[in-house]
């Protein structure tokens, strides 16, 4: 029979990698907590309509990348391709507008997009992200950006660049779209098929199209800054002022428009050149119209999400793959010979674990020698040896694996000595 393999575009995280993943996740939790964000966990699947309305019908995600199916009750369900629309849905559903504002949450979890897999692009990837809802202050945009940068800085991840733009609001963007449409309609034959198709609904996407000819055209287009209304201009100035006050370095980049429809005003991406074609470590922005799009009142919001696999990639490249390896799995290994001794080992392991000391025993009926060898390979600090003599004498031999020192310890004192 053929082996069953993991589906294309998915990865298994192997034992040598969880160390990096855990360090990353712990850093995210710590940085977010310090900035007043609490964790939110939304479902892995949602009603398809949430993303159609939230992310936007004309986006790549909704047009062609969603894992959508009918459940047994004939409801259209979608595995979440991103976390912002679900968080806003939860905010509205649980009337979080009645809480003190802003409501600041963070999340870590898998997202699903049916994309063409390539380096750095998966069909199941993991994001960490934050969303801050209920305040429109530009200082909050800057805070969100600074949280993302702090995560990378705390991890020692270097060489990333923050790119910043504003894409205006429903007042000023239509004028910009119109002028792009007018300019681009003269060059439709130079556009790629995707951009030509999207020209009517979303000409801004030409600005960040990876196709060479589209990128060439994009360079000649006027930047959106010239079209922003007074409110958007003032907001953008506020964001840059706060970033400067925080000593955060960023580049203005009018080609950052993002691939999701909900953005208003601030948008940003964090890029790393070591990632190749899929060079975005993370991205986000403000989405002041999303809550209304989902049937709520006008609740402003801002946030980001960043790929964990991509951050792990950069960290491993930088540190030669040696980072975050988990040291010995447990502190204590109990090597036992004989049925009675094995029961004693089982009991002792449970007692130690309950007292907060990690402990393990042999489950393969290895010889004592083989158990010692195994314990050594696992990098444990202490081995407790229980054989027939020890059982008779109510003691065990405790061996310090670093020094080789051995001592007899009475059973009743073992837990105390080992914890
Ligand atoms: P996004 O730019 O679509 O934004 O995704 C955020 C990050 O997730 C990307 O920068 C990238 O690191 C990672 N990512 C996305 N797709 C893949 C993939 N196929 N394989 C591996 N990594 C991937 C959002 O999802 C928005 N919800 C961000 C946001 C939050 N905006 C406001 N709040």
């Amino acid at each position: 029979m053929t082996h069953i393999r993991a589906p294309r575009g998915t990865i298994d995280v192997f034992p040598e990698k969880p160390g990096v993943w855990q360090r990353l996740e712990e850093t995210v939790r710590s940085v977010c907590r310090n900035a007043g964000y609490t964790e939110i966990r939304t479902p892995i699947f949602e009603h398809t309509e949430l993303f159609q309305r939230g992310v936007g019908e004309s986006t790549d995600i909704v047009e062609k990348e969603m894992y959508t199916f009918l459940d047994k009750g004939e409801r259209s369900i979608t595995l979440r391709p991103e976390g912002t629309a679900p968080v806003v849905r939860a905010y509205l559903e649980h009337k979080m507008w009645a809480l003190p504002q802003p409501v600041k949450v963070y999340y870590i979890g898998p997202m699903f997009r049916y994309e063409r897999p390539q380096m750095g692009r998966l069909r199941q990837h993991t994001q960490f992200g934050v969303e801050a809802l209920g305040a429109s202050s530009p200082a909050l945009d800057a805070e969100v950006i600074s949280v993302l940068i702090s995560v990378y800085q705390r991890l020692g991840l270097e060489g990333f660049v923050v790119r910043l733009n504003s894409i205006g609001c429903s007042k000023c963007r239509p004028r910009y779209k119109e002028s792009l449409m007018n300019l681009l309609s003269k060059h439709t034959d130079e556009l790629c098929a995707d951009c030509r198709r999207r020209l009517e609904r979303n000409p801004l996407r030409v600005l960040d199209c990876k196709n060479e000819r589209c990128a060439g055209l994009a360079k000649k287009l006027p930047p959106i800054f010239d079209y922003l209304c007074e409110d958007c201009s003032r907001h953008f100035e506020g964001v840059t002022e706060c970033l400067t006050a925080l000593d955060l370095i960023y580049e203005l980049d009018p080609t950052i428009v993002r691939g999701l429809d909900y953005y208003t005003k601030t948008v940003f991406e964090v890029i790393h050149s070591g990632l190749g074609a899929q060079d975005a470590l993370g991205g986000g922005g403000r989405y002041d119209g999303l809550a209304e799009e989902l049937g709520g009142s006008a609740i402003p919001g801002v946030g980001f999400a960043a790929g964990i696999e991509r951050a792990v990639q950069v960290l491993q490249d930088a540190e030669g793959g040696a980072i975050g390896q988990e040291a010995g799995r447990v502190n204590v290994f109990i090597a036992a010979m004989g049925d009675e001794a094995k029961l004693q080992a089982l009991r002792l392991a449970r007692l130690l674990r309950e007292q907060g000391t990690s402990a393990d025993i042999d489950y393969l009926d290895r010889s004592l020698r083989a158990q010692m060898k195994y314990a050594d390979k696992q990098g444990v600090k202490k081995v407790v040896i229980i054989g027939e003599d020890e059982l008779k004498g109510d003691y065990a031999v405790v061996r310090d694996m670093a020094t080789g020192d051995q001592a007899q310890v009475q059973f009743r004192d073992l837990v105390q000595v080992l914890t």
Side-chain angles (χ1 to χ4, degrees), residues 82 84 113 115 120 122 127 131 258 262-263 280-282 303 307:
E82 64 101 46
T84 310
R113 298 181 189 180
E115 296 193 79
L122 296 160
Q127 290 185 355
E131 312 293 348
R258 311 279 298 137
Y262 48 60
Y263 291 110
L281 272 174

Side-chain angles (χ1 to χ4, degrees), residues 225-284:
F225 303 121
D226 305 346
Y227 290 76
L228 294 181
C229 63
E230 208 190 313
D231 182 30
C232 287
S233 284
R234 215 175 325 113
H235 186 90
F236 195 59
E237 262 169 44
V239 176
T240 54
E241 210 173 85
C242 292
L243 290 175
T244 306
L246 289 169
D247 279 336
L248 298 179
I249 297 165
Y250 60 89
E251 287 176 5
L252 290 185
D253 184 345
T255 70
I256 302 286
V257 295
R258 311 279 298 137
L260 305 97
D261 277 356
Y262 48 60
Y263 291 110
T264 51
K265 298 183 175 164
T266 317
V267 283
F268 62 92
E269 278 180 4
V270 177
I271 308 292
H272 198 287
S273 57
L275 284 170
Q278 304 302 316
D279 60 357
L281 272 174

Side-chain angles (χ1 to χ4, degrees), residues 169 212 231 372 379 412:
C169 65
E212 247 176 60
D231 182 30
M372 295 302 288
R412 62 171 181 277

Side-chain angles (χ1 to χ4, degrees), residues 88-130:
V88 176
R89 196 258 317 128
Y91 176 96
L92 295 173
E93 190 166 334
H94 301 290
K95 301 184 176 44
M96 289 191 220
W97 30 261
L99 300 172
Q101 304 294 301
V103 168
K104 305 203 293 186
V105 295
Y106 75 89
Y107 49 88
I108 302 175
M111 306 292 163
F112 306 85
R113 298 181 189 180
Y114 191 80
E115 296 193 79
R116 200 166 44 79
Q118 62 182 74
M119 193 187 125
R121 193 158 72 187
L122 296 160
R123 289 185 172 165
Q124 175 179 330
H125 71 279
T126 319
Q127 290 185 355
F128 66 91
V130 308

Side-chain angles (χ1 to χ4, degrees), residues 3-162:
H3 286 286
I4 298 172
R5 292 177 168 275
R8 223 162 97 74
T10 67
I11 57 161
D12 297 306
V13 177
F14 288 103
E16 62 275 15
K17 277 200 187 161
V20 195
W21 278 67
Q22 277 155 13
R23 190 154 73 90
L24 219 149
E25 289 181 13
E26 276 156 22
T27 305
V28 168
R29 288 178 197 287
S30 159
V31 170
C32 288
R33 255 196 317 264
N34 286 350
Y37 291 74
T38 53
E39 187 176 8
I40 187 167
R41 298 189 192 198
T42 62
I44 298 287
F45 59 84
E46 296 269 2
H47 291 296
T48 302
E49 193 187 351
L50 174 68
F51 302 110
Q52 287 169 333
R53 270 162 59 183
V55 175
E57 295 274 13
S58 69
T59 58
D60 282 349
I61 292 180
V62 172
E63 264 188 358
K64 47 190 182 193
E65 294 171 1
M66 295 208 298
Y67 279 90
T68 298
F69 57 94
L70 285 184
D71 71 5
K72 293 192 195 307
E74 301 283 304
R75 288 169 283 259
S76 181
I77 294 292
T78 292
L79 299 187
R80 63 177 187 198
E82 64 101 46
T84 310
V87 166
V88 176
R89 196 258 317 128
Y91 176 96
L92 295 173
E93 190 166 334
H94 301 290
K95 301 184 176 44
M96 289 191 220
W97 30 261
L99 300 172
Q101 304 294 301
V103 168
K104 305 203 293 186
V105 295
Y106 75 89
Y107 49 88
I108 302 175
M111 306 292 163
F112 306 85
R113 298 181 189 180
Y114 191 80
E115 296 193 79
R116 200 166 44 79
Q118 62 182 74
M119 193 187 125
R121 193 158 72 187
L122 296 160
R123 289 185 172 165
Q124 175 179 330
H125 71 279
T126 319
Q127 290 185 355
F128 66 91
V130 308
E131 312 293 348
L133 291 133
S136 42
S137 162
L140 197 53
D141 305 33
E143 174 181 281
V144 157
I145 296 172
S146 81
V147 165
L148 179 55
I149 293 177
S150 292
V151 169
Y152 294 141
Q153 284 176 339
R154 283 264 290 271
L155 287 165
L157 191 153
E158 288 173 348
F160 58 86
V161 176
V162 180

